[in-house]
Every structure is written in C-alpha cells, then in structure tokens.
C-alpha cells in the first residue's frame, strides 16, 4: 500500500503538546505495514483509558485532558488513526475502508494487550471504538461516548451531516484547522488551527480526511451496515458502565445520547452529562470539564 509519512518537522513547537511519541506497525492487508503513532502516558500498570479521536483531528485534540487523567492515576493511551496525525497516510482514497480502520485499531489494541479499558470516544472514535467494544467486549470495562454514534444506515443521517458530507467532497482545498474551528463554540487561536493543519502539508496527505465522510453508513446496504447492526445487538445487552457526555451545541450528533440511554442497559443510573458551551469538538471547548467527567465516572464505577 502506498502511503505518505508527515515529516517530524511539521510537528515542532506544538502548543501544550509535550508528550512522548510511541509507534507500532499494523498490517496494511496488502503485504506491507503502516505505522501508527500513539501517546502512552501515566503509570504502565494502571488500567488504561483509550482516547479515540475522529475526523479530521488527531491526538492533539486530547492534550487538555491527558494531564488531568494522568494526575488522577490513570494510564492514558491516545493513538492517531491511520490517515491522521502522525500516523501513516495511504495515498489512495479506496485504501480507506471502515473495516480496515476497525482492524487497524483492533491490531493496535491487541499488540499493546490492553485490558480493563475505559473507552473515551468522539466522532469517528465512536464509530470505530464501539465496534471494538462490541467485538472484543471482554477487554472493555467502561465506555464514555461524547458526540458520537454507531450508525447502521437504517435511518436518515440528518441535514447537518448531509451538508457536511457534500462539502467535504466539493471543497477544493480541505481546510482542516478552520473546519475544526468552525465546529467549536470557542474561537481557536491561529497557533491551534495550525496544529490541526500540521499533519497535512498538502492535499495529497488528506485522502483519509476526504474519504471518512463517505464511509459513514447512510443506507441499509452500506458495506459496514451489517457489522454495525451486529455490534448494536451486543450493545443492547451491555451491562457494564456506559456514560454519555455530549455537548449542548453539536447539530451533527444531537439526540444520539438519548438513543443510547434508551437502548444500552449499562447507561442506567449513570450521571450523564450535557456539557454547556461546547460544540462538536468538546475536547477543544471544554476538555478540562470532559476530563473531570471521565475521572468521576471511573471513580463511581470501580
């Protein structure tokens, strides 16, 4: 599989992102390997919190949360999905499939032999992470879903997502940092916007970011629909602690928290949160608040 690797110089002097880099390789399914970048902070003998980002962000999104989680005694692991951040970026759009992303993150999890996991997922982090939890349920202890869902294509995706999907395909230059800024309630500084642009020196590096909106199942016969339905069967029997932590200003995933609370048994009795003054990327707007929510959720459900 052909891929690009963003030069390390692109990531120099990132604001508030002073973590140790780690790497491992995953099978590209075509006889080669792709390199996954990840953070692994905190005590290595502690139960892990797995932070999964979405589209078009990377582990930089979690920089406000990681110190709080580590200071609470947790091991924190945050990978960059293939095609994003400091992980390798296949150059062909069709190299990016939903199933490959699940497989790549499953390989990542198994290589690190993660168990007793608290999953924290947002956006595509949920589309991938909830599949992992359903398919490897014995490895997961708790789940926190923040502005995400597991679509099966059996229901219309909504106007906000439809517009975003079309924009992502039509725009000539994919404006990564400015997109993230526009989906926040707060106004990001030029330095923060540049950090979100850093993984993508030019348009050749953005094939994953372009393709991800097309991978969300929006029809019942989508290639990922059947396996997502199978995952829902597991989640509808999920008794382990499950928390929704949504924001009050996200038109794309609004209502998803209520559906999960209705269908997933593990949500019962939990202190679900609606985080005020936060947009789709609530880790940017209110990362410290979300981190405290996660810390308290784990403490209440040991």
């Amino acid at each position: 599989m052909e891929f690009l690797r963003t030069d390390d110089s692109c990531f120099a002097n990132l604001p508030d992102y002073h973590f140790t880099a780690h790497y491992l390789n995953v099978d590209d399914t075509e006889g080669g390997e792709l390199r996954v970048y990840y953070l692994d902070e905190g005590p290595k003998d502690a139960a892990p919190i797995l932070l999964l980002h979405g589209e078009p962000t990377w582990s930089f999104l979690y920089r406000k949360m990681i110190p709080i989680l580590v200071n609470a005694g947790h091991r924190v692991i945050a990978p960059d999905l293939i095609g994003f951040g400091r992980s390798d970026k296949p150059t062909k759009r069709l190299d990016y499939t939903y199933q490959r992303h699940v497989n790549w993150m499953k390989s990542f999890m198994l290589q690190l032999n993660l168990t007793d996991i608290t999953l924290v997922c947002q956006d595509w982090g949920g589309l991938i992470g909830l599949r992992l939890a359903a398919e490897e349920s014995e490895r997961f202890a708790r789940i926190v879903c923040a502005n995400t869902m597991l679509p099966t294509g059996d229901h219309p995706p909504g106007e906000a997502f439809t517009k975003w999907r079309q924009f992502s395909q039509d725009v000539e230059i994919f404006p990564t940092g400015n997109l993230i800024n526009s989906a926040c309630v707060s106004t990001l500084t030029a330095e923060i916007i540049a950090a979100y642009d850093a993984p993508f020196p030019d348009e050749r590096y953005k094939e994953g970011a372009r393709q991800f909106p097309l991978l969300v199942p929006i029809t019942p016969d989508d290639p990922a629909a059947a396996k997502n339905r199978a995952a829902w069967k597991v989640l509808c029997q999920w008794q382990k602690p499950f928390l929704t932590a949504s924001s009050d200003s996200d038109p794309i995933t609004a209502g998803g928290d209520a559906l999960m609370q209705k269908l997933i048994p593990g949500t019962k009795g939990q202190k679900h949160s609606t985080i005020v003054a936060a947009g789709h990327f609530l880790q940017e707007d209110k990362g410290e608040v979300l981190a405290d929510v996660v810390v308290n959720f784990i403490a209440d459900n040991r």
Side-chain angles (χ1 to χ4, degrees), residues 14-17 53 56-65 122 146-147 176-197 247 275-291:
L14 295 173
D16 302 318
Y17 190 84
H53 71 84
T57 60
W58 59 293
S59 55
F60 180 79
L61 180 69
Y62 285 106
R63 71 195 181 283
K64 298 178 183 178
M65 297 177 59
Q122 181 260 345
N147 292 351
T176 310
N178 285 326
L179 279 173
I180 295 164
N181 184 40
S182 67
C184 292
V185 169
S186 55
T187 300
L188 305 186
T189 65
E191 190 178 27
I192 299 299
I193 291 172
Y196 283 114
D197 285 329
S247 58
I275 296 175
V276 177
H280 183 63
F281 298 106
L282 70 173
Q283 303 97 318
E284 266 300 334
D285 284 321
K286 296 290 181 179
E288 297 88 350
V289 174
L290 181 57

Side-chain angles (χ1 to χ4, degrees), residues 98 124 127 151-153 157 161 164-165 211-219 222 224 228:
Y98 195 147
W124 259 97
L127 275 74
T152 62
F161 176 78
W164 151 241
R165 189 174 188 264
Q211 189 67 7
F212 255 45
L214 299 183
L215 300 182
V216 177
I218 62 171
T219 59
D222 184 278
N228 281 15

Side-chain angles (χ1 to χ4, degrees), residues 18 22 35 40 51 67 69 106 130 141 144 152 166 184 189 230 237 245:
H18 309 294
H22 299 270
R35 192 175 76 170
D40 189 346
L51 305 177
L69 300 175
K106 185 177 293 187
L130 292 174
V144 179
T152 62
Q166 191 61 50
C184 292
T189 65
Q237 302 297 320

Side-chain angles (χ1 to χ4, degrees), residues 200-280:
F200 310 113
D202 60 53
E203 295 302 298
R204 297 175 301 151
Y205 292 75
K206 301 177 184 178
E207 297 302 328
R210 292 261 192 192
Q211 189 67 7
F212 255 45
L214 299 183
L215 300 182
V216 177
I218 62 171
T219 59
D221 60 349
D222 184 278
K227 289 197 173 182
N228 281 15
R229 291 189 198 102
W232 266 112
K233 289 182 179 179
V234 175
L235 294 173
C236 285
Q237 302 297 320
W238 187 275
Q239 300 289 339
K240 287 180 275 192
F242 193 114
L243 186 76
T244 62
S246 302
S247 58
D248 65 345
S249 300
D250 179 23
I252 292 182
T253 62
D257 53 348
L259 181 62
M260 286 187 280
Q261 291 171 34
K262 178 181 178 181
L263 296 177
I264 300 172
T267 62
K268 306 307 178 190
Q270 297 297 335
K271 299 173 183 177
H272 302 290
S273 300
T274 299
I275 296 175
V276 177
H280 183 63

